[in-house]
C-alpha cells in the first residue's frame, strides 16, 4: 500500500523550532518528488516546500524561505521539514505529498493525513 | 509567484444538477493544472491533473478543461458525496500555488 505518515507536530512557543517527519512506504521514494503543504485551521491550502534529489531541486514558499529547511533520507524513506523561528502564522496542519510522476512539475497524487503544528505562547 | 483565483467562493447546487467551477492563473501555466477535492477532516484528493486527465478511480462525472490561464472543473449529476471543497493548483512553475477554493454545498 502506498502511504505517507507525518509526525512531529505539537505546541511550540514563538521563536522556537520543530522538526516534522514524513515516513513513506509502498513506492520508490528516491525517485519521487516530495512536497510539504500546510493548511491553517479553517483556511485553504498553501504549498510550503518541495524537493527532488534526482532532479536537484529544493524550493520554498516566500513565507518560509530562510526559516524552514526540507531534507530527505533515502535509506529511511523519510522526508523532513526543519522549522525554525516559528511564528503564530505558521500554525497549521502540515501535509506531506508526493508528486505524481517523478517529474519536477506534476500534481500531488498521494497525501498523508497531516500533523498539526500550533505556535503559541 | 503565480497567483491562482477561484470562483465562485461558494456554489449551491441541488443533487443531480451540474456544478461548474472556475480557476484563473495570473500568468500562463500551460496545462499544468490540477483539481483537488477535500472533505472535512480529510486530506485533499487528486481529481484531475494536466487540466483534463482524471486521476485513478475518479468517476467520469468529473471533467476538467482549459489551458493557459483559464480552467474549469465540471461536476455532472452531483452526488451527495460530491459536496465538498475544491481547490485548483498550478504546478507549471515553482513555487507551486493553490487557489483559495470553492465550496460546493447543497442547495
Amino acid at each position: 500500500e502506498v502511504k505517507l505518515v507525518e509526525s512531529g507536530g505539537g505546541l511550540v512557543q514563538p521563536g522556537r523550532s520543530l522538526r516534522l517527519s514524513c515516513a513513506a512506504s509502498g513506492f520508490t521514494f528516491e525517485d519521487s518528488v516530495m512536497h510539504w503543504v500546510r493548511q491553517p485551521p479553517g483556511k485553504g491550502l498553501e504549498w510550503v516546500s518541495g524537493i527532488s534529489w534526482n532532479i536537484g531541486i529544493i524550493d520554498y514558499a516566500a513565507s518560509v524561505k530562510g526559516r524552514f529547511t526540507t531534507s530527505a533520507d533515502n535509506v529511511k524513506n523519510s522526508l523532513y521539514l526543519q522549522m525554525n523561528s516559528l511564528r503564530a502564522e505558521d500554525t497549521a496542519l502540515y501535509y506531506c505529498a508526493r508528486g505524481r510522476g517523478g517529474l519536477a512539475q506534476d500534481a500531488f497524487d498521494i497525501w498523508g493525513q497531516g500533523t498539526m503544528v500550533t505556535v503559541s505562547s | 509567484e503565480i497567483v491562482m483565483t477561484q470562483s465562485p467562493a461558494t456554489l449551491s447546487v441541488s443533487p443531480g444538477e451540474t456544478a461548474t467551477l472556475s480557476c484563473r492563473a495570473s500568468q500562463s501555466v500551460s496545462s499544468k493544472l490540477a483539481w483537488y477535492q477535500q472533505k472535512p477532516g480529510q486530506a485533499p484528493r487528486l481529481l484531475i491533473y494536466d487540466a483534463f486527465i482524471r486521476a485513478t478511480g475518479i468517476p467520469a462525472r468529473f471533467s476538467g478543461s482549459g489551458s493557459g490561464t483559464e480552467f474549469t472543473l465540471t461536476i455532472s449529476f452531483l452526488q451527495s458525496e460530491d459536496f465538498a471543497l475544491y481547490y485548483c493548483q498550478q504546478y507549471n512553475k515553482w513555487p507551486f500555488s493553490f487557489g483559495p477554493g470553492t465550496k460546493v454545498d447543497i442547495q
Side-chain angles (χ1 to χ4, degrees):
Chain A
E1 180 190 6
V2 177
K3 201 172 181 182
L4 296 171
V5 179
E6 302 93 336
S7 61
L11 174 62
V12 61
Q13 292 179 329
R16 303 298 292 264
S17 298
L18 204 61
R19 187 196 197 206
L20 305 184
S21 300
C22 170
S25 59
F27 64 96
T28 306
F29 182 72
E30 62 184 356
D31 292 339
S32 300
V33 182
M34 299 298 297
H35 301 269
W36 289 101
V37 177
R38 68 184 180 183
Q39 186 169 36
K43 297 190 177 181
L45 302 170
E46 179 188 16
W47 180 85
V48 172
S49 177
I51 182 171
S52 167
W53 36 95
N54 277 356
I55 302 170
I57 291 179
I58 302 179
D59 201 7
Y60 302 91
S63 58
V64 307
K65 194 171 285 189
R67 299 188 298 123
F68 290 12
T69 302
T70 292
S71 62
D73 184 329
N74 290 339
V75 174
K76 295 183 177 180
N77 286 348
S78 291
L79 179 71
Y80 304 102
L81 183 66
Q82 177 66 42
M83 305 185 294
N84 299 331
S85 304
L86 281 162
R87 306 167 180 167
E89 54 264 36
D90 295 319
T91 294
L93 185 62
Y94 284 74
Y95 294 103
C96 70
R98 183 185 79 169
R100 192 188 62 85
L103 303 175
Q105 297 158 285
D106 218 329
F108 303 168
D109 63 342
I110 305 297
W111 294 67
Q113 283 305 300
T115 187
M116 185 69 200
V117 173
T118 302
V119 184
S120 175
S121 55
Chain B
E1 178 182 335
I2 298 175
V3 177
M4 307 299 291
T5 57
Q6 291 185 243
S7 61
T10 303
L11 187 60
S12 296
V13 187
S14 299
E17 294 188 338
T18 296
T20 302
L21 289 65
S22 296
C23 174
R24 176 176 291 180
S26 60
Q27 60 184 266
S28 176
V29 299
S30 184
S31 294
K32 301 294 186 184
L33 191 284
W35 290 93
Y36 299 87
Q37 178 193 67
Q38 188 179 34
K39 297 179 181 180
Q42 296 184 16
R45 176 176 71 146
L46 177 64
L47 296 176
I48 301 284
Y49 64 93
D50 290 351
F52 67 92
I53 301 175
R54 280 189 301 278
T56 302
I58 302 303
R61 64 179 183 272
F62 291 90
S63 62
S65 63
S67 66
T69 61
E70 302 280 344
F71 300 86
T72 300
L73 174 69
T74 303
I75 313 171
S76 304
F77 308 109
L78 269 155
Q79 308 291 304
S80 57
E81 61 265 30
D82 300 335
F83 293 96
L85 267 166
Y86 293 85
Y87 295 94
C88 63
Q89 177 212 24
Q90 70 82 18
Y91 50 93
N92 186 57
K93 188 178 290 187
W94 291 54
F96 297 165
S97 44
F98 290 90
T102 291
K103 182 180 180 182
V104 177
D105 66 14
I106 301 176
Q107 187 170 51

